[in-house]
Amino acid sequence: MDNKTAKNGALNDAKRLGEILTAAYRHKMLQGITPEKVCAMFKDLGTAFIKTGQLLSLHPEVLPKEYCKALESLRNDAPSITAAQIREIISEEYGRPWNQVFQRIAGIPVGSASIAQVHEAWLLDGTRVALKIQRPNSYQLMEQDIRLLKRAMAMLKLKQLESIMWLVNNALDETWRVAQLEMDFRQEAKNIDRIREILEPMEYAYAPKVYHEYTTKNVLVMEFIDGYELTDHEGLRAAGYDLSEICQKLIRSYIKQWAEDLFFQADPHAGNIRIRDGQVVWLDLGMMGALTEREAEALHHCMHGIWKNDVPEFTEWGLVLFGYSPDHPAKPYLEQDFTAFLDKYRVQSIREMNETGDVFVDMINIGAKYNIEIPMSLTMYGRSLLVMEGTVSNLDDKTDLADIIGKHLAAYAIGDGAAGRIARKLSHNKLCSGGRLRYKGHNPATDEERSDRELLSEEEFQILAESGSDVWTADM
């Protein structure tokens, strides 16, 4: 880097830092921070800050729940990428004029977010596709804004953040790591391929096909998905869809992702899901969560500890879930807090839990109390559950997400014996059974759900019944 470039970079940093500080003063941050103030300030500072806010909402171990909820709802109001910019980006990515790749690109985007927008387009052979284009300089702008936000917080010395500043800085560092993955559309293409494999056994669930030969770091080309948005209740009902059935099958396709395949959509809000041709279609798979087998095992044991009100088991596996040894020095103190935690969530059955996402947020907050660094996989999982709860509640408030999840978690809490293996087989079969969603003109007999007895042999059903497990007492 020559002196002129370095000088220009320093001047640009100084100008942007001034804008950040001015926004902080304008929103009276020194008089006290509120979720509303933070969101208003981030919106004022533009697309990179909006994306940063959305990613910070993944950190309930640092930020109170009301802040996470407010930041998650941030949406981009930036002007669309112009037609000229789109042509320039495509020509640069492919090394040839845009019209040697696409026959036509619709001028009005069908979707717009903080770092990208999506257009309907047609390949030269007439194939209709979705063209996702990254906003120019998104990478550079976000790197600069996260770096300067840390500097601005240190300069402002906000009292509410003094005791947790190191946690906030760690969260910002993690935010930048996640953002870098999300801004590489080649990674999103791999995510889509993997989710397509996960959903393949489920006739009622789907993810779009990727055209890898046209996909680059900044451009993603995939099958165009129209259909109905989950918020279009009137349109869905008019087409003959049952909102309760949509919820049931949406949740099942979600459970399979994290419970069986340990890879899941981390941001399952209504805008990332469509209903088309009787299928739940998962979109925008840039932000994904992943659990290791060890984390999944710990998660299931924690659920078993809640189910049995077993403080030692819950504490031991809670530490494992946090990525620490079961003999961690904080264990005696954690046991005290986890006792209160289990008293709060004590239930006769996992199936009867409510506010599933809050269970994990509370767990995360207990760990953070003892300066236990929480794995990003767990925070993304907890946040994903909270978002899914909102999605389900807005679609059909009579559908109980916790009840459905609890029935399947119970299958994993039984253990590794014969009953446990049968329970997990039953869970898998229930997740994958059933045909496409019913709608006008589509009501096949294959849509009929099969009971537990139909999905298991008589011997298997008897073993499960004799195990004392509550899995078999009611259909999943």
Side-chain angles (χ1 to χ4, degrees):
M1 182 186 296
D2 57 36
N3 290 336
K4 184 177 180 180
T5 302
K7 183 178 180 180
N8 288 339
L11 289 172
N12 188 30
D13 275 3
K15 178 184 176 184
R16 185 57 172 164
L17 180 60
E19 293 170 352
I20 294 170
L21 292 171
T22 298
Y25 285 115
R26 183 167 60 249
H27 291 284
K28 300 180 180 179
M29 292 295 183
L30 292 177
Q31 281 74 53
I33 306 173
T34 67
E36 294 74 22
K37 285 184 181 181
V38 172
C39 285
M41 175 182 161
F42 277 31
K43 288 195 74 171
D44 281 358
L45 288 167
T47 58
F49 260 84
I50 288 172
K51 188 63 186 179
T52 300
Q54 291 170 344
L55 292 174
L56 278 174
S57 72
L58 295 169
H59 290 278
E61 82 282 10
V62 177
L63 301 175
K65 181 181 175 181
E66 58 269 22
Y67 283 82
C68 292
K69 195 170 185 63
L71 289 169
E72 186 276 326
S73 66
L74 278 172
R75 292 294 177 262
N76 182 56
D77 294 327
S80 298
I81 307 171
T82 66
Q85 287 176 312
I86 291 172
R87 290 193 291 267
E88 182 181 345
I89 292 168
I90 291 174
S91 297
E92 183 176 334
E93 290 295 311
Y94 297 137
R96 57 188 188 273
W98 72 272
N99 56 8
Q100 291 184 17
V101 183
F102 297 98
Q103 185 184 107
R104 183 160 70 91
I105 300 173
I108 300 175
V110 295
S112 182
S114 52
I115 64 170
Q117 65 187 45
V118 179
H119 288 256
E120 186 177 8
W122 288 261
L123 298 175
L124 293 180
D125 64 3
T127 302
R128 185 187 185 203
V129 296
L131 172 63
K132 184 173 182 179
I133 304 170
Q134 191 165 147
R135 294 180 182 277
N137 303 314
S138 292
Y139 189 97
Q140 294 84 352
L141 290 172
M142 194 160 182
E143 184 279 329
Q144 180 190 48
D145 278 355
I146 290 178
R147 175 166 45 82
L148 295 180
L149 175 59
K150 293 165 72 174
R151 189 187 302 179
M153 288 191 301
M155 293 172 67
L156 291 170
K157 297 181 179 178
L158 301 170
K159 290 184 179 179
Q160 286 172 262
L161 297 180
E162 284 179 354
S163 63
I164 60 168
M165 186 60 74
W166 69 277
L167 285 171
V168 174
N169 284 332
N170 285 349
L172 285 169
D173 290 340
E174 187 64 51
T175 292
W176 175 233
R177 285 193 287 272
V178 172
Q180 290 178 79
L181 286 175
E182 196 172 348
M183 287 188 286
D184 186 342
F185 290 166
R186 295 166 300 188
Q187 181 61 49
E188 181 170 351
K190 293 177 182 178
N191 295 343
I192 296 172
D193 286 345
R194 186 169 175 189
I195 288 294
R196 281 173 62 83
E197 291 178 4
I198 289 170
L199 300 179
E200 197 275 333
M202 313 174 102
E203 188 179 343
Y204 59 81
Y206 188 74
K209 172 186 174 182
V210 174
Y211 292 87
H212 289 277
E213 64 271 33
Y214 298 107
T215 295
T216 70
K217 185 176 186 294
N218 298 306
V219 175
L220 175 61
V221 179
M222 54 195 159
E223 174 186 357
F224 189 88
I225 303 292
D226 40 26
Y228 296 91
E229 296 186 5
L230 282 187
T231 53
D232 186 7
H233 297 184
E234 185 177 338
L236 286 165
R237 289 194 182 101
Y241 286 102
D242 182 312
L243 300 189
S244 175
E245 184 190 11
I246 291 174
C247 275
Q248 294 284 331
K249 291 185 173 177
L250 167 64
I251 294 169
R252 288 183 184 182
S253 63
Y254 174 65
I255 292 173
K256 186 177 187 303
Q257 292 174 40
W258 56 261
E260 291 193 356
D261 300 281
L262 315 184
F263 187 71
F264 56 93
Q265 160 68 280
D267 193 23
H269 66 75
N272 287 342
I273 299 158
R274 291 283 189 281
I275 304 300
R276 186 193 71 168
D277 297 338
Q279 291 183 304
V280 175
V281 185
W282 290 82
L283 303 173
D284 198 359
L285 297 165
M287 188 191 300
M288 305 299 294
L291 298 169
T292 66
E293 290 189 4
R294 183 65 165 167
E295 287 170 339
E297 181 186 17
L299 181 65
H300 299 148
H301 276 283
C302 284
M303 289 299 94
H304 189 255
I306 294 175
W307 181 33
K308 293 294 188 181
N309 195 34
D310 187 331
V311 174
E313 179 183 22
F314 185 81
T315 303
E316 178 178 341
W317 286 97
L319 280 166
V320 173
L321 191 60
F322 292 155
Y324 287 83
S325 166
D327 58 359
H328 189 279
K331 185 176 181 179
Y333 308 102
L334 280 169
E335 282 191 342
Q336 294 177 18
D337 282 351
F338 281 154
T339 299
F341 172 92
L342 290 178
D343 285 342
K344 177 180 178 181
Y345 289 107
R346 180 179 292 143
V347 289
Q348 291 182 340
S349 164
I350 294 176
R351 292 201 308 255
E352 297 172 15
M353 286 193 304
N354 53 28
E355 299 182 336
T356 311
D358 284 344
V359 173
F360 292 96
V361 171
D362 283 354
M363 280 184 65
I364 288 166
N365 288 335
I366 290 172
K369 176 181 175 181
Y370 296 100
N371 293 333
I372 292 175
E373 189 172 345
I374 311 300
M376 187 65 178
S377 54
L378 182 58
T379 60
M380 292 187 83
Y381 176 66
R383 189 260 196 180
S384 177
L385 281 174
L386 286 171
V387 175
M388 178 56 83
E389 280 179 344
T391 298
V392 169
S393 177
N394 291 333
L395 183 61
D396 178 33
D397 59 10
K398 294 180 181 178
T399 298
D400 188 343
L401 173 68
D403 177 73
I404 298 169
I405 287 178
K407 291 172 183 177
H408 290 277
L409 279 178
Y412 287 87
I414 294 174
D416 295 324
R421 290 191 296 272
I422 294 169
R424 288 188 284 279
K425 174 185 174 181
L426 174 60
S427 173
H428 172 81
N429 289 343
K430 293 295 286 187
L431 290 175
C432 296
S433 69
R436 297 193 181 204
L437 298 161
R438 296 176 178 85
Y439 62 99
K440 285 182 179 177
H442 183 85
N443 191 25
T446 55
D447 277 357
E448 293 298 322
E449 298 292 341
R450 300 171 64 194
S451 70
D452 291 359
R453 285 190 177 275
E454 292 175 307
L455 290 168
L456 297 176
S457 69
E458 186 61 36
E459 181 183 0
E460 288 174 328
F461 191 85
Q462 191 62 35
I463 291 172
L464 195 57
E466 292 173 355
S467 72
S469 164
D470 71 345
V471 175
W472 68 276
T473 58
D475 278 352
M476 290 182 177

